[in-house]
């Protein structure tokens, strides 16, 4: 098991996993919800074997990552996730890494690129369509049905489930977002340990409530949030990987997004794969990332 390292940013002590610290190229892989940095292990090992330094931070509210100040609002808003990533990159002195994100991590990576153009050399987004942060966005009824858990968490009953039944709630999502039998119980148990973070319930509930306008954001991120809605155009090469059997974010939610990207854009649908491509098809994901980044500049 790879041990966590930690670093301090202005608001957080961020815990992260690292492979191949001496690698010439750098890839930062960001997990989603409900998951943990360990989700990237097979992909990270493959990238490390190809000479990459691979860093997998735990997002705010997950795993060993902690807020530095008890008075800091436990915001889960998407702008905060993007700013956290920029702070992480700055703290390590990374120069234009490859950014790869799944679910919440995809939103963090895209938002970091929107807030600071040029921060990354390449961007890869898994299981998320870009430009879907706006609470006023059109939402087809099949996708609104899939987002039942968003609406559930806006109720007292849903909030209680997050606070008191985190494992049962999140395991139900794992069981219904991908084809059956895709994970082992020990894999879920490892991921679920990240939900024992004392800030996890508050961050999760705020994230989904603020996303749809049910709660206000942290004023510290007001300027960043304003810059991200509507979604800015991104000028770096971007790859989107979406599972064809994803029943959380339907594949259609990442279609027709090419107009947001001026630096090159590719989208691939992975047949038979659900919402967790890096877990369900890690070798296919790793191969796609390596091919996508093959001609890019070295980054430190």
């Amino acid at each position: 098991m790879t041990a966590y390292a930690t670093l301090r940013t202005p608001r957080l002590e961020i815990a992260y996993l690292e492979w191949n610290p001496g690698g010439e190229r750098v890839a930062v892989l960001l997990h989603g919800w409900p998951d943990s940095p360990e989700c990237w292990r097979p992909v990270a090992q493959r990238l490390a074997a190809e000479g990459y330094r691979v860093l997998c931070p735990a997002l705010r509210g997950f795993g060993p990552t902690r807020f530095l100040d008890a008075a800091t609002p436990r915001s889960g808003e998407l702008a905060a996730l993007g700013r956290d990533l920029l702070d992480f990159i700055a703290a390590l002195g990374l120069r234009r890494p490859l950014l790869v994100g799944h679910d919440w991590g995809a939103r963090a990576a895209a938002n970091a690129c929107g807030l600071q153009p040029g921060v990354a050399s390449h961007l890869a987004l898994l299981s998320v369509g870009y430009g879907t942060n706006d609470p006023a966005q059109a939402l087809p009824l099949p996708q609104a049905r899939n987002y039942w858990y968003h609406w559930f968490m806006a109720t007292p009953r849903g909030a209680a489930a997050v606070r008191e039944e985190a494992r049962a709630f999140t395991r139900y999502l794992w069981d219904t977002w991908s084809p059956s039998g895709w994970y082992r119980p020990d894999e879920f148990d490892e991921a679920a340990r990240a939900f024992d973070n004392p800030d996890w319930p508050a961050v999760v509930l705020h994230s989904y409530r603020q996303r749809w306008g049910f709660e206000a954001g942290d004023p510290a991120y007001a300027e960043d949030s304003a810059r991200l809605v509507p979604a800015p155009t991104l000028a770096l090469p971007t790859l989107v990987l979406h599972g064809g059997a994803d029943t959380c974010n339907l594949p259609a939610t990442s279609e027709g997004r090419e107009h947001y990207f001026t630096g090159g854009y590719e989208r691939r649908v992975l047949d038979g794969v659900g919402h967790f491509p890096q877990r369900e098809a890690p070798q296919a994901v790793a191969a796609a990332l390596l091919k996508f980044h093959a001609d890019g500049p070295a980054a430190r």
Side-chain angles (χ1 to χ4, degrees):
M1 174 63 186
T2 306
Y4 278 92
T6 61
L7 61 79
R8 288 199 167 199
T9 67
R11 292 182 179 87
L12 300 171
E13 181 173 80
I14 297 179
Y16 61 97
L17 301 176
E18 183 172 12
W19 285 263
N20 192 27
E24 184 175 352
R25 291 186 171 190
V26 178
V28 180
L29 314 183
L30 298 122
H31 68 88
W33 185 88
D35 213 336
S36 71
E38 287 85 1
C39 73
W40 293 109
R41 187 182 292 113
V43 173
Q45 290 171 340
R46 174 74 183 280
L47 295 181
E50 296 292 334
Y52 283 77
R53 178 188 184 188
V54 184
L55 300 154
C56 301
L59 301 182
R60 56 169 56 200
F62 290 78
T65 292
R66 294 292 187 271
F67 287 85
L68 298 179
D69 189 340
T72 300
R74 271 39 177 176
S75 170
E77 60 197 281
L78 302 176
L81 302 183
R83 181 57 59 183
D84 289 346
L85 175 55
L86 292 175
D87 290 342
F88 179 80
I89 290 170
L92 285 171
L94 306 180
R95 185 177 64 84
R96 304 187 72 235
L98 163 65
L99 294 183
V100 183
H102 170 251
D103 192 84
W104 279 27
R107 298 181 188 278
N111 287 347
C113 293
L115 291 171
Q116 188 175 316
V119 70
S121 68
H122 293 65
L123 173 66
L125 309 176
L126 277 62
S127 308
V128 166
Y130 183 67
T132 57
N133 292 354
D134 188 344
Q137 66 186 274
L139 195 63
L141 289 176
Q143 187 58 51
R145 178 186 62 184
N146 287 1
Y147 280 169
W148 71 269
Y149 64 101
H150 291 211
W151 325 130
F152 181 56
M153 284 189 279
T155 70
R157 187 181 294 265
V162 170
R163 296 188 183 107
E164 301 166 15
E165 301 179 82
R167 278 171 167 73
F169 180 40
T170 54
R171 186 158 190 166
Y172 180 75
L173 300 178
W174 276 43
D175 286 340
T176 55
W177 283 353
S178 297
S180 62
W182 69 271
Y183 69 91
R184 301 190 313 270
D186 63 291
E187 292 173 323
F188 175 80
D189 291 342
E190 179 181 61
R193 285 194 287 272
F195 316 154
D196 293 334
N197 184 311
D199 298 312
W200 189 83
V203 168
V204 169
L205 291 172
H206 184 263
S207 182
Y208 286 105
R209 290 173 170 183
Q210 190 273 339
R211 192 176 306 185
W212 297 105
F214 301 138
E215 285 193 16
D218 180 349
Y221 301 105
E223 182 178 344
D224 286 345
S225 293
R227 292 175 59 191
L228 294 170
V229 177
T233 299
L234 302 182
L236 77 170
T238 301
L239 171 69
V240 172
L241 300 176
H242 208 140
D246 187 342
T247 52
C248 172
N249 292 326
L250 295 173
T253 61
S254 64
E255 291 178 348
R257 307 286 166 172
E258 295 85 351
H259 61 283
Y260 286 110
F261 302 95
T262 61
Y265 178 80
E266 178 186 357
R267 175 179 176 270
R268 290 179 53 190
V269 175
L270 305 175
D271 292 339
V273 174
H275 186 64
F276 300 87
Q278 74 280 19
R279 286 187 178 274
E280 299 174 59
Q283 296 309 315
V285 168
L289 294 175
L290 288 167
K291 181 177 184 299
F292 168 63
H293 198 231
D295 299 323
R300 285 192 182 275

